[in-house]
Amino acid sequence: MPKILVTITILFLFSFSSFSQKTNLSGILTDESEKTPIYNSVVALLTPKDSILYRFTRSDKEGKFNIKNIEAGNYILMTTHSQYADYLDAITLEDGEKNIGTIALISKMKLLKEIIINTGSIRVKGDTTSYRASDFKVDANANVEELLKKLPGIQVDKNGTIKAMGETVEKVLVDGEEFFGDDPGMAVKNLRADAVKEVQVFNKKSDQAEFTGIDDGETKKTINLKLKEDKKKGYFGKIDAANQPFSDTDSRYNINSMFSSFKGKRKLSAFLLNGNTGQDGLSWQDNDKFGGRDDISMNMDDDGNVSYEWTGGNNDEEPYVDTQNGFIKNTNAGLQYSNKWNDKQTLNLSPKYNKQIYTNNNIRNVRTQVGETQLNENTSTVSNVNRGNFKVNATYDVKLDSLNSIKFTAKTNFYNTESDEFINGTTTGNGVLKNKQEKTFITNSDKQSLQANILFRHKFTKERRTFSLNGNWNMLHTNSDNFLKSFNESYNEGVFSSRDDVDQNKIGEKTNQDLGLNITYTEPLNKNFALQFGYQITHNTGKSNYLTYDYSKDTGDYDLVVESLSNQFRQTITTHRPNIKLSYNAKKINYSFGSGFGFTSFDLLDQTLNKEYKRHYTNFFPTANFSYKYKSNSNLRFSYEGATKQPTINQLQPLRNNQDFFNQILGNPDLKQSFTNRISIFHNTYSILTESQFYQNITFSSTSNLISYNKDIDPENAKTITTPINTNGNFSGNFYFGYGFKVKKIDLYVNLNPSLNYNKYVLSINNKINNSNTLNSGFGIYLNKFKEKKYEFSLSNNFSNNRNSTSQNDEIKSFNTNNLSLEIGVYFREKWKLSTDYNLFSRQKTVDFQTNLTNQLWNARLQRTFKNDEFTAYIMVRDILNQNIGINRYVYENIIGEEQNDRLKRYVMVGLTWNFKNKDTAAKK
C-alpha cells in the first residue's frame, strides 16, 4: 500500500510538472479607427513549419481572447473576421502567461482589401503581392530574371516566359513606367537584381478602366520593379564577350553590353547584342512587331476591333524565319529614355534596331490521305535571308489639370528584306511518281509604317463620370521586287507527261491608310452600377499595283506583261460601331455585359478587270464578364464573347498565285460571314503561408458558317485546287490545370501541369465533307530546390500525346513525345560555380514514323568571379554530345508530317563579363 501511494504521488507530481511547462496566450482585439472591441473574431495559432492549425479561440464581447494549454515554442498568430483584414505575425511563447496586449485591426471598408502579412519578405495587399528583394539571395551581379526564379509563386522557364500565380506576365514596369516597350524579357534580363528594392506583382487594369474607375474585366499580369533610392542616382551596366577558341573564321561569338543611368525620375538605358549563336533572335511573334505582315483586308476581331490587311495581291513576299532552327547572325540594339516633370509631363522614347542574317536547310515529308490513295510529298528547301529593321516608339503624356489630360503617341517602322529560297520536291502516290518541282524565289522588299495617335481624357466632378476622345492615323507602304523561276513536271502512272516552266519578275507597290475616331462616355448610375457608351468610326483607303512580267528571250529582259497575274486594286472601307455596356463593381464581385454593333461598307475596285465589289455587313459583338474574388489572391473569372467575321477579299476573289504550281487557290463570291461563341472560365488561388498555388482554365468555342476549305485533289497528278467554303459543326475545348506547392521538410518546390485540348474541324475533300478530330493531352511536372551559395537544382518532365482521326479514314493517328530536363548548379570555394543542363527528347516510333527518335542535349559552364565579384571569367560547352537536331512532327486534318531543320551543334566558348556600377558615397569617402 505505501508503494502504491508513493507511485501515485510521483505520477501526480510528474503530471503537474508537465502541465506547468505549458502556457496561456491572451490579448484584446480592437478596431484601429474606432478603438472599440471586436467581437467573435477567430484567433488562431499555426505551426510555422507546415502552417497547420494548432489552437484557436474566438474573442468575446469585450474583444478579449485567451488560448490555453499551449506548448512553448514558435508560432504564427492569425486573426480573421468577416469585417476586418486578416492579421498575421510571428510569435514566440515561453513558460508562463503571455499577454500580447492590444491588437488593432483595420476595417475592410477602410482598407478595401482583405489581407496584410505583417512579416518581412512578402506582403500581400489586395491584388498586389510584394517581395522584398534583399531577402532573396542571388549570385553577385545577377539580373532580375535570376531574382524572379527565387520568388515563391513566380516561374521563369528556359525560354524566358514568366508566370506569376499561374498567369503569364505580359508587362514589366520599372518604377511604374514602361521599360523598352511591352517586352517583359528586356527589363528582367538587362536590369541588375541588386538595384531592385521591391518586386510587385498585380493584375494591371486596362488604361480605360484605370481612367474611368469602371472595371471592364480586361487585365494584364504585370510586374513592377521598384528601384532602390541610391540606384536612382547613378549608373550600372554589363559587358559580356565570348568567343570560340582554336576555330576557323566561322567561329561562334557573342558580345552583349548594357548600360543604365538613373537620376530621380529620369531613366536612360541602352543595349547592344551581337552574335551568331542564335541568342536574342526574333521569334515568329516578333515578326508582326517589325512589320512582317502587310497583306491588307478588312477584319474584325472578337472584340469588334477593325484591322486592315491587303490580301488582294501576293502575300508571300516575306520569307518565313524560324530562329529556333537554322543559323543566324544577329545584331540587336536599343535605347530607352523616360522622364517625368512635376508629375504632369511624361516622355517615353524608345528607338530600336535589328539586323539578321539567316540560313537554313529544311527537309519536309508530308503525307495526305485522299480516299484509298496516300500522297507523299518530299521537299528540300534552302533559305537565305538578310533583313533589317529600325523602329521608334514615342509617347508624351500631359496632365493639363486635375480633370484633363492629353496623350500623344507616335510610331515609325522601316523594314528591308532580301532573301532567296531554293526548293526541290517530288510527290508520289502509293509509290508511283506524280510530279516534280524545282523552284527559286528571290525577294527584295521595303516597308514603311507610320502611326500617330492622340487621346484626350476628361473627368467630370462627379466620380466615374468621364469622357474620352481618341483619334488615330496609320499608314503602311510596301515596295517589292521578286523573281520566280520554277520547273514543274507532271507524270502519269510514273511516266513523264508534261512540263511547265516559269521565269517571271513580280513587282508590287501597296499603300494603305486609315483614320479612326473613338468616343467614349461613362455615367455612374449609383455606387456600384455604371453605363458606358461608345461610338467608333474608321475610314480606310488603299491601293495595290501588282505587275507580273515574263522573261523574253528576244530582248533578254522581263518585259512581257502577264495579264492573269497582274492587277490594280483600289479600296475604301468605312465602319460605324456604336456600343453600350452595363457594369457592376464591388469589393468581391465585378461583372459587365453589353454589345457593339458594326455597320461596314466595303468598296473594292479591280481596275484591271474593271470589276467593282460592294458589300455591306452588320456585325454583332455581345460580351459578358464576371469575376468573384472570394478571398485574397483567389478569384474566379468567367467571360463570354460572340463575334461575327466576314470573308476577306482574298477569299472572295483572290489574285491567282502561281508560286506553287501544284497548289493553287480560287475564290468563292458566295461566302457567308461566320459567328463564333467563346466561353472561358479561369480560377486561381494562391497561399503565401503554404507557398501553394492552384489554377484551372477551361475554354470552349464553337463557330457556325466557319470559313473552311474544299480541296480538290487529283490523285493522278497530285495537283490541289483549294476553294474557301462555309461549314458547320466546328468547335474546340481546352483545359489547363496547375498545382504548385512547397514540401517544406525538404525545401522542395513542386509544380504539376496536366492539360487537355480537343478540336473538331470540318473541311471538304473532293466535295465530300470530312470531319477531323484532334485530341492533345499532356502532363508536366517541375521540381526545384536551391540552397544559397551551395547548390541549385531543378528537374522537369513534359509528356504529350497527339491523336487524330478523320471521317474518311477510321485509322487513328497517334504518337507520343517526351522531354526530360535537368539543371544543376554547384558552388565551391566561394568564387567558383559549375552549372550544367541536360535535355532528353523522345519521339515515339509509329506506323507513319518508323524511327523511334531520341536525342540528348547537354550543356555545361564553369565560372569564377574575382575582384569583389566585379568580373566573371567562364568557359562553356554547348551540345557536348553533338546531338542537337531540329525536328517537328504534326498531325491535323488528313495530313501527317515531319520536318527537319539545321541546328547549331557542339561548340566551346570562353568569355569574360564585367559588371560595373557607380560606387556608393560612403565607399568613396
Side-chain angles (χ1 to χ4, degrees):
M1 185 69 179
K3 291 182 177 180
I4 295 175
L5 291 175
V6 171
T7 302
I8 293 174
T9 302
I10 292 173
L11 290 174
F12 176 78
L13 292 174
F14 178 78
S15 300
F16 180 79
S17 174
S18 299
F19 177 78
S20 66
Q21 293 177 357
K22 294 188 176 182
T23 185
N24 298 332
L25 174 66
S26 60
I28 301 175
L29 303 182
T30 63
D31 185 295
E32 182 193 47
S33 302
E34 304 295 333
K35 309 301 180 185
T36 55
I38 298 175
Y39 170 62
N40 206 32
S41 174
V42 174
V43 183
L45 287 177
L46 309 177
T47 55
K49 185 176 182 180
D50 47 20
S51 300
I52 294 177
L53 179 64
Y54 174 70
R55 291 276 194 280
F56 80 95
T57 187
R58 290 184 180 272
S59 58
D60 59 21
K61 293 183 178 181
E62 296 178 352
K64 297 179 180 179
F65 65 88
N66 192 354
I67 304 177
K68 301 180 179 180
N69 299 328
I70 308 170
E71 294 185 3
N74 296 322
Y75 296 93
I76 297 175
L77 174 66
M78 181 178 73
T79 72
T80 179
H81 190 278
S82 61
Q83 299 178 11
Y84 292 88
D86 294 351
Y87 173 89
L88 290 94
D89 201 1
I91 188 171
T92 300
L93 299 179
E94 299 176 351
D95 296 345
E97 297 286 335
K98 175 72 172 181
N99 190 318
I100 59 175
T102 300
I103 299 176
L105 301 184
I106 302 175
S107 169
K108 288 181 180 179
M109 293 297 294
K110 175 183 176 182
L111 189 63
L112 293 179
K113 306 296 178 185
E114 297 180 36
I115 184 167
I116 292 179
I117 294 185
N118 199 28
T119 57
S121 301
I122 306 174
R123 183 173 181 267
V124 180
K125 184 176 181 181
D127 288 330
T128 302
T129 302
S130 301
Y131 303 85
R132 183 186 295 168
S134 59
D135 292 348
F136 300 91
K137 304 301 181 184
V138 293
D139 288 346
N141 305 316
N143 58 20
V144 172
E145 184 177 75
E146 296 302 316
L147 172 63
L148 296 181
K149 292 179 180 179
K150 302 294 178 70
L151 305 184
I154 298 180
Q155 290 177 280
V156 183
D157 66 17
K158 61 183 179 181
N159 297 319
T161 302
I162 308 169
K163 286 193 172 183
M165 291 72 182
E167 296 181 80
T168 300
V169 174
E170 299 182 61
K171 270 183 175 290
V172 173
L173 308 176
V174 176
D175 283 336
E177 302 292 337
E178 284 192 356
F179 192 78
F180 286 111
D182 285 337
D183 186 358
M186 192 57 65
V188 300
K189 290 180 182 295
N190 291 289
L191 278 179
R192 293 171 59 103
D194 59 9
V196 178
K197 174 185 178 182
E198 188 176 2
V199 178
Q200 297 176 328
V201 182
F202 58 96
N203 289 317
K204 187 179 186 303
K205 296 180 181 179
S206 67
D207 292 340
Q208 183 71 10
E210 290 181 348
F211 168 62
T212 62
I214 299 175
D215 193 350
D216 56 11
E218 297 180 14
T219 61
K220 289 183 178 181
K221 204 69 177 182
T222 301
I223 289 178
N224 182 40
L225 305 173
K226 295 186 67 175
L227 300 180
K228 298 176 181 177
E229 290 300 322
D230 61 328
K231 302 301 180 183
K232 298 179 183 180
K233 302 176 182 178
Y235 64 88
F236 58 87
K238 177 177 72 174
I239 299 175
D240 184 355
N243 192 72
Q244 182 179 8
F246 313 114
S247 63
D248 54 22
T249 56
D250 192 29
S251 64
R252 302 298 106 191
Y253 67 91
N254 281 323
I255 302 173
N256 303 332
S257 59
M258 186 275 297
F259 175 82
S260 293
S261 172
F262 294 163
K263 184 179 181 180
K265 295 180 180 180
R266 191 269 291 155
K267 302 180 182 67
L268 177 65
S269 296
F271 71 91
L272 172 63
L273 313 176
N274 180 254
N276 62 358
T277 63
Q279 67 160 19
D280 306 308
L282 293 179
S283 64
W284 67 268
Q285 293 95 335
D286 293 312
N287 196 37
D288 289 344
K289 299 178 184 178
F290 285 79
R293 298 178 60 190
D294 66 340
D295 315 320
I296 302 169
S297 69
M298 193 275 290
N299 292 289
M300 288 191 179
D301 62 20
D302 297 328
D303 297 322
N305 299 314
V306 180
S307 62
Y308 303 98
E309 296 182 334
W310 274 110
T311 55
N314 190 17
N315 63 356
D316 48 23
E317 291 119 359
E318 196 62 46
Y320 175 69
V321 173
D322 179 8
T323 57
Q324 300 300 314
N325 297 304
F327 306 101
I328 186 170
K329 295 180 181 179
N330 184 70
T331 300
N332 203 355
L335 180 69
Q336 166 76 30
Y337 174 83
S338 64
N339 207 345
K340 181 179 286 188
W341 299 274
N342 303 322
D343 290 326
K344 289 186 177 182
Q345 301 180 61
T346 302
L347 175 65
N348 196 305
L349 180 67
S350 181
K352 294 180 183 178
Y353 172 76
N354 181 262
K355 177 73 171 180
Q356 293 180 337
I357 299 176
Y358 174 82
T359 62
N360 185 37
N361 290 291
N362 172 278
I363 298 175
R364 182 167 58 101
N365 175 259
V366 177
R367 305 172 192 180
T368 304
Q369 192 71 36
V370 185
E372 300 299 324
T373 302
Q374 179 174 273
L375 299 176
N376 293 341
E377 180 185 357
N378 292 281
T379 305
S380 174
T381 304
V382 179
S383 301
N384 297 283
V385 181
N386 186 337
R387 65 182 185 181
N389 165 263
F390 177 74
K391 64 186 302 186
V392 178
N393 293 345
T395 302
Y396 182 54
D397 199 342
V398 182
K399 291 183 179 179
L400 303 176
D401 51 42
S402 60
L403 300 178
N404 298 282
S405 67
I406 190 168
K407 183 177 182 180
F408 302 92
T409 303
K411 297 181 180 181
T412 64
N413 194 357
F414 302 93
Y415 198 99
N416 173 261
T417 300
E418 295 179 358
S419 70
D420 60 82
E421 185 177 73
F422 177 74
I423 299 176
N424 192 338
T426 61
T427 302
T428 60
N430 295 338
V432 179
L433 181 62
K434 299 295 183 180
N435 62 57
K436 286 184 179 180
Q437 183 183 66
E438 289 185 7
K439 180 176 66 176
T440 300
F441 191 64
I442 301 174
T443 299
N444 189 336
S445 66
D446 289 286
K447 304 174 185 177
Q448 302 88 38
S449 174
L450 303 175
Q451 301 179 43
N453 179 276
I454 182 170
L455 173 63
F456 172 75
R457 293 174 291 194
H458 172 74
K459 286 186 176 181
F460 294 90
T461 53
K462 184 176 182 179
E463 186 179 2
R464 294 185 297 146
R465 177 183 287 170
T466 66
F467 172 81
S468 62
L469 182 67
N470 189 1
N472 60 78
W473 170 77
N474 300 284
M475 189 277 287
L476 177 64
H477 181 78
T478 303
N479 287 308
S480 61
D481 188 4
N482 306 325
F483 292 88
L484 171 65
K485 291 184 179 181
S486 66
F487 308 96
N488 310 283
E489 296 181 355
S490 298
Y491 291 77
N492 186 6
E493 298 296 331
V495 179
F496 174 80
S497 62
S498 64
R499 172 169 169 165
D500 293 274
D501 295 343
V502 178
D503 188 359
Q504 296 173 341
N505 179 206
K506 301 171 180 288
I507 299 175
E509 181 183 6
K510 307 171 187 178
T511 301
N512 180 72
Q513 297 187 67
D514 64 81
L515 289 169
L517 183 65
N518 193 5
I519 301 172
T520 304
Y521 174 79
T522 61
E523 177 64 30
L525 303 180
N526 57 30
K527 180 181 178 181
N528 301 113
F529 283 98
L531 272 175
Q532 178 174 295
F533 302 92
Y535 188 87
Q536 181 184 36
I537 180 172
T538 57
H539 180 72
N540 171 272
T541 58
K543 64 178 182 179
S544 173
N545 299 321
Y546 198 83
L547 298 173
T548 300
Y549 297 92
D550 268 336
Y551 178 78
S552 172
K553 292 182 179 180
D554 296 333
T555 63
D557 200 358
Y558 295 90
D559 53 12
L560 301 176
V561 177
V562 183
E563 297 292 346
S564 63
L565 298 174
S566 303
N567 60 17
Q568 292 179 310
F569 283 102
R570 298 291 185 272
Q571 75 172 17
T572 302
I573 306 171
T574 304
T575 300
H576 298 266
R577 186 191 170 199
N579 60 81
I580 185 171
K581 180 185 291 186
L582 176 68
S583 64
Y584 173 85
N585 294 303
K587 283 194 305 178
K588 292 187 175 183
I589 295 177
N590 295 317
Y591 63 81
S592 65
F593 59 89
S595 181
F597 302 87
F599 306 96
T600 301
S601 299
F602 196 113
D603 187 357
L604 175 69
L605 175 62
D606 186 337
Q607 294 178 318
T608 303
L609 300 178
N610 196 25
K611 290 185 177 180
E612 188 173 17
Y613 303 89
K614 288 190 175 182
R615 290 206 168 208
H616 300 277
Y617 296 100
T618 299
N619 295 304
F620 178 50
F621 303 99
T623 61
N625 294 282
F626 174 85
S627 66
Y628 173 47
K629 183 184 174 187
Y630 54 91
K631 62 179 181 179
S632 179
N633 271 358
S634 299
N635 63 80
L636 175 68
R637 296 201 302 265
F638 167 88
S639 67
Y640 163 77
E641 295 175 326
T644 52
K645 185 176 182 180
Q646 64 278 354
T648 66
I649 287 298
N650 194 43
Q651 294 165 334
L652 295 168
Q653 187 63 44
L655 173 68
R656 186 168 68 88
N657 183 349
N658 68 335
Q659 184 173 335
D660 190 341
F661 180 81
F662 294 105
N663 293 277
Q664 299 190 19
I665 301 175
L666 298 179
N668 179 4
D670 297 323
L671 286 176
K672 303 175 183 178
Q673 61 184 12
S674 63
F675 187 88
T676 299
N677 294 286
R678 182 176 289 108
I679 297 174
S680 179
I681 302 174
F682 178 81
H683 171 259
N684 173 58
T685 182
Y686 179 74
S687 171
I688 291 293
L689 292 176
T690 61
E691 295 186 40
S692 63
Q693 57 183 352
F694 185 50
Y695 45 91
Q696 310 86 41
N697 189 10
I698 301 174
T699 303
F700 176 83
S701 66
S702 65
T703 303
S704 58
N705 286 326
L706 176 73
I707 299 177
S708 179
Y709 293 92
N710 174 68
K711 295 182 179 181
D712 281 323
I713 305 175
D714 187 346
E716 296 303 322
N717 59 17
K719 190 171 184 178
T720 301
I721 297 177
T722 302
T723 307
I725 60 173
N726 291 108
T727 61
N728 290 298
N730 301 276
F731 62 87
S732 65
N734 303 286
F735 172 72
Y736 183 78
F737 173 94
Y739 178 50
F741 59 93
K742 192 170 187 179
V743 184
K744 294 192 175 182
K745 289 185 178 181
I746 57 175
D747 198 29
L748 177 71
Y749 182 81
V750 181
N751 197 74
L752 308 175
N753 296 111
S755 63
L756 192 67
N757 304 299
Y758 174 76
N759 181 71
K760 180 187 176 184
Y761 181 72
V762 180
L763 71 158
S764 175
I765 299 177
N766 293 338
N767 296 311
K768 293 183 179 179
I769 292 297
N770 181 34
N771 295 322
S772 174
N773 300 279
T774 303
L775 177 65
N776 293 308
S777 56
F779 183 82
I781 182 171
Y782 173 80
L783 309 175
N784 175 260
K785 179 179 173 66
F786 67 90
K787 190 171 183 179
E788 183 186 351
K789 286 298 183 181
K790 296 293 183 182
Y791 60 83
E792 299 169 349
F793 166 83
S794 68
L795 176 67
S796 65
N797 191 81
N798 288 283
F799 170 84
S800 66
N801 172 262
N802 185 298
R803 295 171 63 88
N804 176 266
S805 64
T806 62
S807 55
Q808 73 163 1
N809 190 342
D810 294 333
E811 181 184 1
I812 296 177
K813 305 288 186 179
S814 175
F815 64 91
N816 302 327
T817 60
N818 194 79
N819 175 211
L820 175 67
S821 178
L822 174 66
E823 295 184 21
I824 299 175
V826 180
Y827 300 83
F828 53 95
R829 294 187 178 180
E830 294 186 358
K831 301 292 184 179
W832 291 85
K833 179 183 178 182
L834 176 64
S835 56
T836 183
D837 60 90
Y838 171 82
N839 282 271
L840 175 64
F841 300 94
S842 303
R843 303 166 185 87
Q844 178 192 11
K845 176 181 178 181
T846 67
V847 174
D848 298 285
F849 302 122
Q850 291 296 315
T851 305
N852 189 0
L853 187 59
T854 299
N855 70 298
Q856 305 170 76
L857 186 60
W858 181 23
N859 308 311
R861 170 179 167 132
L862 177 66
Q863 69 177 50
R864 187 190 189 279
T865 59
F866 52 96
K867 198 178 179 181
N868 297 322
D869 296 327
E870 185 175 347
F871 293 92
T872 302
Y874 61 88
I875 180 171
M876 59 184 292
V877 186
R878 305 287 294 179
D879 189 21
I880 296 174
L881 303 177
N882 205 33
Q883 295 185 16
N884 191 19
I885 59 175
I887 192 166
N888 180 39
R889 289 174 174 173
Y890 49 86
V891 175
Y892 67 95
E893 299 172 7
N894 61 327
I895 294 173
I896 184 167
E898 178 180 272
E899 292 189 18
Q900 294 192 34
N901 296 274
D902 283 343
R903 284 281 180 92
L904 188 59
K905 290 194 173 183
R906 181 170 53 207
Y907 63 93
V908 179
M909 295 184 74
V910 177
L912 178 68
T913 303
W914 177 31
N915 287 276
F916 57 88
K917 57 182 177 180
N918 60 299
K919 307 301 181 182
D920 294 335
T921 304
K924 290 181 180 180
K925 293 180 180 180

